[in-house]
Amino acid sequence: MAQVQNGGLSSPQELFESITAQGEVVRSLKGGKAPKDEIDSAVKLLLALKTNYKAATGQEYKADSPPTNSTPASVGSSRAAEGEEDFVDPWTVQTSNAKGVDYDKLIVRFGSSKIDKELIDRLERVTGHKPHHFLRRGIFFSHRDMNQVLDAYENKKPFYLYTGRGPSSEAMHLGHLIPFIFTKWLQDVFNVPLVIQMTDDEKYLWKDLTLEQAYGYAVENAKDIIACGFDIKKTFIFSDLDYMGMSPGFYKNVVKIQKHVTFNQVKGIFGFTDSDCIGKISFPAIQAAPSFSNSFPQIFKDKKDVQCLIPCAIDQDPYFRMTRDVAPRIGYPKPALLHSTFFPALQGAQTKMSASDPNSSIFLTDSAKQIKNKVNKHAFSGGRDTIEEHRQFGGNCDVDVSFMYLTFFLEDDDKLEQIKQDYTSGALLTGDLKKTLIEILQPLIADHQQRRKEVTDDIVKEFMTPRKLTFDFQ
């Protein structure tokens, strides 16, 4: 899925166009008598865009009065720097807050629903499993229609999982693992099929890569994904460059989606400009297509009504807001979503990790020594300037990257809470906190590297071959 680092609604003109497009979406939903909650979500997004437009131009939005100054600002910088709004789109994540993005505000802006205790308790009742620590700690924090998925599951109706990866480099980093770790847990507790899209076509369009390089990265990244432990009998991993040419069902859905999304809408949602290649403009339909079961006839035969659940980072939501808008118009169920927070860069939670900056990330190829050096040298600290001050006033877990990483990878709730108390009180020093993190990450990555070594080319080929999975969708 998209993870590139530039683009976005950054100029008054682009904001103006996005409001125009979102207005069309609202009118279309109202005209089609869509459910009230969906209309409300679309209206919320429209109002948020108008607020951003006023902040950028100092003027109210008027449909017949485009902005006179349309010089693009640097991506997301103005709003994030002034602290007015976090900037989140499929390519860029920026905030001026050292604690990271304000996810409660993002839920309101995107019109999704918070994953609350009631939903987590229901997940536990339905599955019979203790909720994953990503759910317990709010790492997966937002959803669309998860209760509907649970209703169907309780009524013995099947659903399937879909997630993806945009293969922009040979090596993946820790942040890339988060959706796959959680998706594996979902697959295990619900016992459902999974499709994983490798968007090598997208990376070719956005980055300076050859088609052969993009496909090669897809295969290498697939090895890291397989090393997470997915069941080969329940999982299909596919390269867009490969699969679309051999699957009429998939391509037919891409074309259906393309017919129902206007150029104005796609510019409004994704911030595309007139100078973007047409491949970028048409790509969102390709990321949307796996949301519909008949894109995979080898798994689902001709069934087009199997519900899809998509675990992904919240920055991917614009693709699936578009998908959910199109779905009822082409006769398909809307995909449900579970959204995760962003995995912070070592330098702090203002941005997500970047594969292009080796010191912002801990890579799955890093040695034990590299992990230790990166954490010690680059992990942003919430500690005080001196040991004396730290002992007196304590550290700040809200901005300390080592503590943030522990919330992702230390599974023991009691131990995590004890570390938080000790660091906040000053009993635990920053060096000790970093040492704890290093001791967790080194074996975690070493184990992953060992599992990856066991993933042969033949195993990758089997995962990536279209085939029947061990589910009967008669």
Side-chain angles (χ1 to χ4, degrees), residues 346-410:
L346 281 167
Q347 287 82 356
Q350 282 93 338
T351 60
K352 60 183 178 180
M353 279 186 168
S354 167
S356 58
D357 179 359
N359 291 325
S360 77
S361 316
I362 291 173
F363 287 88
L364 302 182
T365 51
D366 283 348
S367 66
K369 184 178 179 182
Q370 285 174 310
I371 294 165
K372 182 178 180 180
N373 287 341
K374 283 184 179 182
V375 171
N376 283 331
K377 288 182 182 178
H378 300 291
F380 186 81
S381 167
R384 302 290 174 171
D385 291 339
T386 66
I387 291 177
E388 292 73 21
E389 281 184 17
H390 189 89
R391 295 286 190 206
Q392 184 178 355
F393 299 110
N396 183 354
C397 288
D398 288 340
V399 301
D400 192 290
V401 166
S402 295
F403 183 78
M404 291 178 190
Y405 281 23
L406 287 174
T407 65
F408 283 87
F409 294 111
L410 175 58

Side-chain angles (χ1 to χ4, degrees), residues 25-323:
V25 171
V26 170
R27 282 190 291 278
S28 135
L29 290 173
K30 287 180 176 176
K33 298 185 178 175
K36 183 177 182 299
D37 62 334
E38 191 178 341
I39 294 172
D40 289 346
S41 294
V43 170
K44 276 184 191 174
L45 179 57
L46 179 62
L47 294 175
L49 287 167
K50 287 183 176 179
T51 301
N52 291 345
Y53 180 82
K54 186 176 181 182
T57 64
Q59 300 170 337
E60 299 286 352
Y61 166 83
K62 291 182 182 175
D64 55 352
S65 303
T68 51
N69 176 13
S70 60
T71 306
S74 61
V75 178
S77 59
S78 58
R79 277 173 286 157
E82 293 164 16
E84 292 172 3
E85 287 286 350
D86 299 329
F87 190 90
V88 175
D89 73 3
W91 300 278
T92 307
V93 177
Q94 282 193 330
T95 176
S96 58
N97 191 333
K99 295 180 183 179
V101 170
D102 186 327
Y103 292 104
D104 286 335
K105 283 185 179 176
L106 207 55
I107 285 172
V108 173
R109 273 174 55 198
F110 281 12
S112 58
S113 303
K114 191 177 180 68
I115 295 177
D116 54 17
K117 186 176 184 301
E118 185 180 343
L119 181 59
I120 294 172
D121 289 346
R122 187 180 179 201
L123 265 163
E124 184 167 16
R125 283 196 311 273
V126 168
T127 64
H129 290 265
K130 182 179 180 180
H132 196 279
H133 67 277
F134 287 179
L135 285 168
R136 304 197 303 269
R137 295 175 191 168
I139 290 167
F140 273 81
F141 70 101
S142 161
H143 75 99
R144 295 186 187 277
D145 290 344
M146 187 60 197
N147 278 307
Q148 188 177 305
V149 170
L150 294 177
D151 289 344
Y153 183 75
E154 285 183 315
N155 289 318
K156 309 294 186 214
K157 286 186 180 174
F159 72 93
Y160 72 102
L161 296 163
Y162 155 42
T163 194
R165 161 82 186 126
S168 56
S169 62
E170 196 167 317
M172 289 168 59
H173 59 57
L174 273 179
H176 295 141
L177 279 187
I178 302 308
F180 295 109
I181 290 169
F182 187 62
T183 299
K184 182 185 183 302
W185 180 81
L186 289 169
Q187 185 184 51
D188 290 345
V189 300
F190 285 105
N191 187 30
V192 288
L194 162 67
V195 296
I196 299 175
Q197 180 182 42
M198 309 299 286
T199 57
D200 41 10
D201 53 343
E202 172 219 358
K203 292 307 171 190
Y204 170 73
L205 292 166
W206 262 268
K207 294 205 172 257
D208 185 20
L209 298 174
T210 66
L211 281 170
E212 291 72 25
Q213 283 174 317
Y215 180 75
Y217 290 159
V219 172
E220 289 304 308
N221 287 186
K223 292 177 182 176
D224 276 313
I225 293 167
I226 293 165
C228 292
F230 291 106
D231 186 340
I232 199 164
K233 295 176 182 174
K234 304 176 188 174
T235 307
F236 173 47
I237 302 174
F238 65 98
S239 141
D240 284 344
L241 290 173
D242 238 3
Y243 184 61
M244 193 149 70
M246 66 174 77
S247 176
F250 188 88
Y251 184 61
K252 283 175 184 173
N253 279 339
V254 170
V255 173
K256 284 181 186 176
I257 296 159
Q258 288 171 339
K259 185 170 182 176
H260 287 81
V261 182
T262 67
F263 181 44
N264 232 9
Q265 284 174 317
V266 89
K267 282 202 297 183
I269 296 167
F270 300 102
F272 298 137
T273 67
D274 292 347
S275 59
D276 278 312
C277 72
I278 60 173
K280 289 184 181 182
I281 293 152
S282 63
F283 172 74
I286 297 171
Q287 185 157 319
S291 308
F292 307 132
S293 56
N294 61 347
S295 291
F296 307 99
Q298 70 277 10
I299 302 172
F300 304 106
K301 301 186 177 173
D302 58 352
K303 290 182 77 68
K304 62 179 187 179
D305 60 349
V306 183
Q307 174 96 45
C308 176
L309 173 62
I310 306 168
C312 62
I314 186 74
D315 60 343
Q316 298 301 299
D317 188 67
Y319 284 103
F320 301 113
R321 288 203 299 272
M322 181 197 82
T323 309

